């Protein structure tokens, strides 16, 4: 694929959407079928630096936002909670679609972005034409997050427990780029990214709200931080692990070093048209950036499933 770009792969625009002023890239024909691409942690919009232009060239309108706490996205109020719970990220995404006048989009992502796409498809299926979800069904709940796992699985979540401490918060604030580089290497052991590729994404972690949002996200998952009360009704629906009827393609890399479920455990959660693809060749956690053409093909396949 193309070499790392010195500048964003499209102009970063800004728009008021809900609690945020969202920084986003908007590629492709304005009248094209919309595709919303959502990044994860600790990554940014550059996970789609190759996939987004390819989709735009195929005629899609491709919208790639910085999540809250990343890059050019900012809170519109100093008093807004720096909240990272699962439902609020989906509320952000719906608000962005509303602000852009997009009624329906193919939603796709990995890591936090896949979970956000799942939540959107579960709670607002009418807004989701189709979905591509790396690592499958990722909706969770605080109650489920408090259940102990087998020791090997608990070890994989070491950073979640680190972030549960004030030492962890301070450590992430002081060493967030070193931390991200460690996660990139462990989550994608076969990905030979260079310094320029890492550094163009690492700039997104200098967002003034990044540490607060990340720490809240992981503390909320295991019940150590409260969510926003107005989101309780959404979280109650998600805690029932709702089925997803939106046409879906799930993807997994054969060398994903991050915690992730086995595809067999979540297939039944998708009750609409559905297919799973496991990519071989040492593909890790950041699948859209490591295998962008396969990711693009999955978007196109999901679009076909939607009819």
């Amino acid at each position: 694929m193309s070499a790392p770009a010195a500048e964003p792969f499209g102009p970063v625009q800004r728009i008021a959407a809900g609690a945020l002023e969202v920084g986003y890239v908007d590629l492709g024909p304005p009248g094209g079928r919309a595709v919303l691409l959502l990044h994860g942690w600790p990554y940014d919009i550059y996970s789609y630096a190759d996939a987004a232009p390819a989709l735009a060239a195929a005629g899609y309108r491709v919208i790639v936002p910085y999540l809250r706490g990343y890059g050019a996205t900012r809170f519109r109020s100093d008093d807004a909670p720096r909240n990272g719970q699962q439902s609020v990220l989906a509320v952000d995404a719906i608000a962005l679609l509303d602000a852009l006048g997009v009624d329906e989009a193919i939603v796709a992502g990995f890591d936090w972005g896949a979970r956000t796409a799942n939540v959107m498809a579960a709670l607002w299926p009418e807004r989701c034409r189709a979905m591509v979800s790396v690592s499958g069904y990722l909706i969770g709940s605080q109650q489920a997050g408090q259940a102990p796992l087998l020791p090997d699985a608990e070890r994989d979540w070491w950073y979640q427990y680190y972030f549960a401490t004030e030492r962890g918060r301070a450590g992430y604030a002081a060493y967030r780029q070193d931390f991200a580089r460690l996660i990139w290497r462990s989550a994608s052991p076969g990905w030979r990214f260079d310094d320029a590729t890492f550094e163009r994404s690492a700039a997104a972690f200098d967002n003034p709200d990044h540490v607060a949002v990340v720490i809240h996200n992981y503390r909320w998952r295991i019940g150590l931080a409260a969510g926003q009360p107005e989101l309780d009704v959404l979280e109650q629906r998600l805690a029932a692990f709702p089925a997803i009827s939106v046409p879906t393609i799930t993807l997994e890399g054969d060398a994903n070093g991050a915690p992730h479920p086995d595809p067999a455990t979540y297939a039944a959660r998708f009750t609409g048209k559905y297919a799973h693809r496991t990519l071989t060749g040492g593909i890790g956690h950041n699948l859209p950036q490591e295998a962008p053409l396969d990711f693009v093909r999955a978007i196109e396949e999901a679009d076909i499933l939607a009819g």
Side-chain angles (χ1 to χ4, degrees):
M1 300 303 296
S2 60
E7 300 295 333
F9 50 91
V12 176
Q13 304 181 57
R14 292 171 177 80
I15 191 168
L20 304 173
E21 181 177 281
V22 178
Y24 68 102
V25 170
D26 193 341
L27 299 177
R33 184 163 289 155
V35 178
L36 178 67
L37 301 179
L38 301 165
H39 69 80
W41 171 86
Y43 305 93
D44 80 327
I45 63 171
Y46 280 109
S47 291
Y48 301 106
D50 290 311
L55 287 165
Y60 292 97
R61 179 187 180 184
V62 188
I63 301 159
V64 193
Y66 284 104
L67 301 185
R68 56 171 54 202
Y70 294 79
T73 293
R74 296 290 187 273
F75 284 88
R76 296 172 66 191
S77 170
D78 291 340
D79 298 327
R82 271 44 178 178
N83 178 9
Q85 71 186 100
Q86 64 179 349
S87 60
V88 80
L89 296 169
V91 168
D92 290 344
I94 293 294
L96 176 61
L97 294 181
D98 288 345
L100 294 173
V102 175
D103 293 329
E104 180 187 68
I106 300 168
V107 295
F110 72 105
D111 196 84
W112 287 21
R115 180 175 295 107
T116 301
N118 288 185
V119 173
M120 293 173 69
L123 298 183
W124 296 282
E126 71 280 2
R127 306 300 298 273
C128 304
R129 172 175 170 81
M131 180 173 68
V132 172
S133 179
V134 178
S135 297
Y137 189 95
L138 297 176
I139 293 172
S141 72
Q142 285 189 313
Q143 182 177 1
Q146 294 177 52
L149 305 174
L150 290 171
D152 279 351
E154 295 284 18
R155 179 181 58 187
D156 291 341
W157 285 108
W158 66 271
Y159 51 88
Q160 181 168 263
Y161 302 107
Y162 181 60
F163 289 162
T165 69
E166 287 307 303
R167 177 188 176 100
R169 175 193 284 273
Y172 188 61
Y175 303 113
R176 70 190 80 171
Q177 291 200 11
D178 301 272
F179 203 103
R181 192 184 290 270
L182 172 62
I183 296 295
W184 280 34
R185 289 199 304 262
S186 61
S188 298
W191 184 29
R192 300 294 180 254
F193 60 88
D194 58 20
D195 288 343
T197 298
F198 175 78
E199 288 165 5
R200 71 180 184 181
S201 287
F205 314 144
D206 291 334
N207 182 295
D209 302 304
H210 179 74
V211 173
V213 170
V214 169
I215 295 299
H216 185 270
N217 176 284
Y218 286 102
R219 290 184 179 181
W220 178 87
R221 293 191 198 193
I222 54 176
L224 297 181
Q228 291 176 235
E230 60 268 32
L231 298 174
D232 286 351
V233 65
L234 298 183
E235 294 295 349
Q236 288 166 10
R237 292 174 62 187
L238 296 172
F241 301 105
I244 292 175
S245 61
V246 169
T248 296
I249 304 293
T250 57
L251 297 174
E252 189 55 84
D254 65 339
N256 186 357
H260 63 279
D262 186 287
T265 66
Y266 56 68
R269 299 285 186 187
F270 298 100
T271 58
K273 295 179 181 178
Y274 171 70
H276 174 78
R277 307 281 181 264
T278 295
L279 306 185
T280 59
I283 304 303
H285 189 60
N286 185 6
L287 187 150
Q289 193 165 0
E290 297 176 61
L293 294 183
D294 293 288
F295 187 79
V296 167
R297 281 192 287 268
I299 297 283
E300 294 172 333
E301 185 178 358
D303 193 8
I304 292 169
L305 286 182

